Amino acid sequence: MKKLLGLLLLLITTNMYGEIWLPSILSDNMVLQQQSDVTIWGWTTATSEEITVYGTWNNKKITTKAHQGVWTVQLPTPEAGGAYKVIVEGHEKLEISNVLIGEVWLGSGQSNMQWTPKQGLENAEEEIKNANYPEIRFFQVAQQISASPQDQLRGEWVVCKPETMQNFSSVAYFFGRELHRELSVPVGLINSSWGGTPVEVWMKKELITEDAELTKAASKLREVAWWPNDPGYAYNAMIHPITKFNIVGFIWYQGESNRVNPDSYYKSFRSMIKSWRAEWGKNLPFYFVQIAPYKYDDPKATDAAHVRDAQLYTMQNVANTGMVVTNDIGNLDNIHPINKQDVGYRLAQWALAKTYGNQELVYSGPVYKSMEIKKKEIVLSFDFAENGLIKKGKELVEFYIAGEDKVFYPAKAKINDNNISVSSKKVEEPKAVRFAFTNGAIPNLYNSAGLPASAFRTDDWELEKTIK
């Protein structure tokens, strides 16, 4: 009798303290990527039990066996729709409710991605009031750091409404709103960003420590109390825990903090993109924002221009990327320009055109393609200028030209359909042109669709403060 009572007590105790649990990214109100095999994973205290998972869109059960308390399944999803439930069954039953199937994007970066409508947004009151989109869902990743990769993070999925939108990333919201309007499907937006952070903290630590150039560059980062500067610390705590969660792509707004080591950004930014894609196991689209003009310590200095150049280089040399130019919507006195509507909209145009196949969209402003020296002038050619170039203002501004001495002087620039001729009386034998190549440059060159041209340089000279 005592043995029987002991066995019953053991069973009751096991049942009381046994648990199946999920990462926070798998929660009520979530959006799962449509028409894909999404990963559903978690943990159990019954370390080798069978776990069954199914979605109510078809009730087809997928069963696996936990290994040392860890389990994972691949769950096929249908076309966009919902709401559904995802059921997890083992020694207990879990239900994830109000689940939608649609398009899921991850937004990341520093403060201009983090910035919310409450922190500063053009027409904020009206935008917040109108933010009723039950088929748009937000997941805000809590800001935290770790010296090693983590399996869990803090956050929860919420439905888009004024109360939630006002505290979510403005850029991500306007990006998602445009996708939702154009695609007519649910949209899930994950925001994992932290103001002030350099790119190094969003990369795996070994990508920095095993590369002498990037290690030296990382040593230039200044220690700040309110954001991390240690390589890998944000990645470990805010990206690694969600690398199993299926997404369709990334949006990114960062770069201001890498003005202290802009030469390495050509390499570090590419390395981060490559490593994130490797973690998700797919060549996912990566659309990012070129940093806006701002006076910083000196609007005529070029450290921010170097970062913009590295961003342009990345778009031109890394497949399946796209860059939004913001030199027409910046604010020299505000490093957080309040026009986030156009930023999100322009990011969405890249996605709609390149990821979702809308061939009718013009999604980029003019991008420098090639140059030809013709006596005392240089003629520039551009991509994304098939229907011509335009200027907003009396004369084109922010063009500079140099000869063999590599000293750049302000230049006269003239539009000829989709080309521009550049010259200066101070440069008899021109060799190179730079455009909008200072921290605070506000140029006025656009294509016929009204999208601004990216800053660029035609040379590959060592970057110095050579503007006169």
Side-chain angles (χ1 to χ4, degrees):
M1 186 66 177
K2 288 183 178 179
K3 287 184 178 180
L4 180 58
L5 288 173
L7 180 59
L8 287 171
L9 181 62
L10 177 62
L11 289 172
I12 292 170
T13 304
T14 301
N15 188 56
M16 285 176 58
Y17 292 100
E19 184 182 3
I20 298 173
W21 71 101
L22 305 169
S24 59
I25 193 70
L26 299 175
S27 64
D28 293 348
N29 305 314
M30 69 179 175
V31 180
L32 295 177
Q33 182 59 38
Q34 67 170 325
Q35 296 180 295
S36 66
D37 290 330
V38 301
T39 304
I40 306 294
W41 76 101
W43 303 271
T44 174
T45 50
T47 57
S48 61
E49 74 172 320
E50 281 195 347
I51 300 290
T52 298
V53 180
Y54 60 95
T56 58
W57 51 86
N58 64 5
N59 293 309
K60 184 177 180 180
K61 296 186 176 183
I62 310 290
T63 298
T64 189
K65 191 170 185 179
H67 176 68
Q68 298 177 359
V70 181
W71 56 267
T72 181
V73 302
Q74 299 297 308
L75 190 64
T77 57
E79 292 183 354
Y84 301 107
K85 289 182 179 181
V86 173
I87 313 297
V88 178
E89 294 179 334
H91 68 271
E92 64 175 330
K93 181 178 179 180
L94 305 180
E95 290 189 0
I96 310 174
S97 301
N98 197 23
V99 176
L100 299 181
I101 308 296
E103 296 295 293
V104 184
W105 288 81
L106 169 61
S108 187
Q110 58 181 111
S111 56
N112 272 307
M113 180 62 79
Q114 177 187 328
W115 227 238
T116 69
K118 284 189 71 175
Q119 291 173 301
L121 174 67
E122 192 173 275
N123 197 28
E125 184 177 348
E126 191 73 12
E127 295 286 12
I128 292 170
K129 183 180 71 174
N130 294 328
N132 286 295
Y133 293 95
E135 289 195 338
I136 297 177
R137 306 292 174 79
F138 303 140
F139 186 94
Q140 177 63 54
V141 175
Q143 293 176 345
Q144 56 192 73
I145 61 173
S146 176
S148 59
Q150 299 299 296
D151 293 327
Q152 179 65 292
L153 46 67
R154 291 186 297 113
E156 64 176 344
W157 285 98
V158 296
V159 177
C160 173
K161 51 188 175 181
E163 296 81 5
T164 57
M165 175 270 195
Q166 66 182 343
N167 295 308
F168 193 71
S169 162
S170 294
V171 168
Y173 166 71
F174 290 117
F175 168 81
R177 187 181 72 176
E178 183 67 12
L179 293 190
H180 179 57
R181 286 174 172 178
E182 292 298 317
L183 301 175
S184 298
V185 298
V187 174
L189 300 168
I190 304 167
N191 178 33
S192 182
S193 53
W194 194 330
T197 48
V199 71
E200 287 84 355
V201 307
W202 296 103
M203 302 167 62
K204 284 185 170 183
K205 182 179 180 180
E206 55 266 31
L207 295 175
I208 305 293
T209 58
E210 295 175 5
D211 185 297
E213 177 188 352
L214 296 186
T215 297
K216 183 179 178 181
S219 70
K220 299 178 181 179
L221 299 172
R222 298 185 297 269
E223 185 174 344
V224 181
W226 45 91
W227 66 73
N229 278 316
D230 295 293
Y233 271 42
Y235 168 82
N236 290 337
M238 297 175 65
I239 297 296
H240 184 268
I242 54 175
T243 52
K244 291 180 182 178
F245 193 81
N246 291 47
I247 62 175
V248 72
F250 309 99
I251 55 173
W252 173 263
Y253 196 161
Q254 186 275 338
E256 294 90 344
S257 288
N258 283 102
R259 292 182 302 108
V260 298
N261 56 5
D263 291 344
S264 67
Y265 202 75
Y266 294 86
K267 186 175 187 178
S268 57
F269 189 29
R270 285 184 297 146
S271 180
M272 191 206 77
I273 294 171
K274 181 180 178 181
S275 68
W276 282 20
R277 287 171 169 173
E279 288 301 303
W280 266 269
K282 298 176 184 177
N283 185 35
L284 296 173
F286 195 104
Y287 304 129
F288 58 91
V289 182
Q290 190 180 57
I291 60 175
Y294 179 66
K295 60 186 179 183
Y296 296 104
D297 300 324
D298 178 2
K300 291 296 184 183
T302 57
D303 45 354
H306 297 185
V307 173
R308 293 186 200 109
D309 190 58
Q311 291 173 321
L312 175 62
Y313 176 86
T314 300
M315 183 189 73
Q316 293 176 318
N317 290 276
V318 179
N320 205 15
T321 62
M323 183 182 73
V324 166
V325 176
T326 58
N327 56 36
D328 63 328
I329 53 176
N331 185 329
L332 293 183
D333 295 314
N334 185 357
I335 199 170
H336 305 118
I338 62 173
N339 180 353
K340 294 295 194 287
Q341 289 90 333
D342 281 332
V343 179
Y345 176 84
R346 291 174 185 179
L347 282 166
Q349 300 314 293
W350 272 98
L352 290 168
K354 304 299 287 183
T355 302
Y356 299 109
N358 187 336
Q359 301 300 317
E360 297 179 0
L361 292 177
V362 179
Y363 51 89
S364 174
V367 174
Y368 167 71
K369 180 169 63 175
S370 62
M371 61 165 272
E372 182 181 359
I373 299 174
K374 292 187 175 180
K375 296 182 180 179
K376 294 185 179 182
E377 68 178 18
I378 291 178
V379 178
L380 305 170
S381 298
F382 296 83
D383 289 320
F384 304 104
E386 293 82 1
N387 295 318
L389 298 164
I390 62 173
K391 63 179 183 290
K392 295 186 178 181
K394 202 170 182 182
E395 303 289 340
L396 285 173
V397 297
E398 294 293 344
F399 281 89
Y400 298 85
I401 195 165
E404 287 283 3
D405 60 2
K406 301 182 181 180
V407 177
F408 284 86
Y409 295 92
K412 178 180 286 188
K414 182 180 178 181
I415 295 174
N416 301 298
D417 295 325
N418 56 1
N419 293 329
I420 294 179
S421 57
V422 185
S423 63
S424 171
K425 292 180 179 179
K426 294 185 177 182
V427 181
E428 290 289 320
E429 297 181 7
K431 299 297 180 184
V433 170
R434 289 183 183 175
F435 170 69
F437 218 82
T438 60
N439 291 351
I442 302 179
N444 61 346
L445 174 63
Y446 300 78
N447 60 15
S448 60
L451 291 172
S454 170
F456 67 87
R457 59 178 176 140
T458 67
D459 63 275
D460 59 359
W461 301 336
E462 184 176 350
L463 289 170
E464 298 174 352
K465 295 182 179 180
T466 54
I467 302 294
K468 291 295 184 182

